[in-house]
Amino acid sequence: MAKTIEPLFDEAAIAERVDALAEEIDQAITGDFVVVGLLKGSFIFVADLARALYRKGREPRIEFMRLSSYGMGTQSAGEVHLLGDIPTDIAGGQILLVDDIVDTGRSIAYAMALMKQREVAGLWTCALLDKPSRREVEVTADFVGFSIEDLFIAGYGIDYAEKYRYLPYIGVATD
Ligand code: IMP
Ligand code: MG
């Protein structure tokens, strides 16, 4: 278990970046859209992003989808499973998928494929954090908060063995 979560991005830095992301999203997406957050890691990011979008004059519907996770470890199991789905009535709408971190890319690629099967009218992806050096599946998020090195992150909704989601800042888990 990590002893400390060393601050990487503080509350002010996150708030500033989330606001800038909302601006980018507002510019890029015309018309109604549904924010689909991937649980559990994105719950705080979605909460802040939704309010930042509202301040830009946008009023997206908000849904969540739950995918399988690392469990108690720090390594991806390699396979993604759907643990909780969004309602079927989003068919035909525009979707903004929101995740906490794009790491190997498997989770976001899985969610994108699932949305495409449902013939959505438009599909965008947003990740608070991106670890491009870790990629195993070729996928690029349309909107990225921070691009980072291969570090293990916790805080601001993101867990390390189900701990630290409550931290108001984003930090690096160190032993
Ligand atoms: P991917 O499928 O490998 O891209 O992994 C994406 C998911 O793994 C993210 O949504 C996170 O939930 C989790 N994850 C990836 N990197 C980290 C990390 O550094 N800390 C905590 N969770 C992580
Ligand atoms: Mg996740």
Side-chain angles (χ1 to χ4, degrees), residues 69-91:
S69 75
Y70 286 7
M72 298 306 273
T74 58
Q75 290 299 308
S76 165
E79 227 178 292
V80 182
H81 300 278
L82 183 64
L83 302 181
D85 206 349
I86 52 172
T88 51
D89 67 349
I90 58 103

Side-chain angles (χ1 to χ4, degrees), residues 5 8 13 21 31 46 51 61 66 70 82 89-90 94 99 108 121 153-154 165 171:
I5 307 296
L8 184 61
L21 280 174
V46 168
R51 287 175 288 183
R61 172 174 167 182
R66 184 155 181 198
Y70 286 7
L82 183 64
D89 67 349
I90 58 103
Q94 302 196 98
D99 204 1
I108 200 86
I153 298 299
R165 292 192 197 274

Side-chain angles (χ1 to χ4, degrees), residues 32-77:
D32 287 343
F33 64 101
V34 185
V35 167
V36 176
L38 303 185
L39 292 173
K40 293 185 277 189
S42 74
F43 81 107
I44 292 178
F45 180 40
V46 168
D48 283 347
L49 185 64
R51 287 175 288 183
L53 285 165
Y54 171 71
R55 289 192 293 268
K56 307 286 174 198
R58 307 303 291 262
E59 301 186 329
R61 172 174 167 182
I62 298 169
E63 296 288 351
F64 287 97
M65 178 179 278
R66 184 155 181 198
L67 304 182
S68 55
S69 75
Y70 286 7
M72 298 306 273
T74 58
Q75 290 299 308
S76 165

Side-chain angles (χ1 to χ4, degrees), residues 70 99-107 131 151-153 158-159:
Y70 286 7
D99 204 1
D100 54 351
I101 306 181
V102 180
D103 187 48
T104 66
R106 288 185 204 286
S107 304
K131 296 194 238 177
L151 299 166
F152 200 80
I153 298 299
I158 302 162
D159 75 306

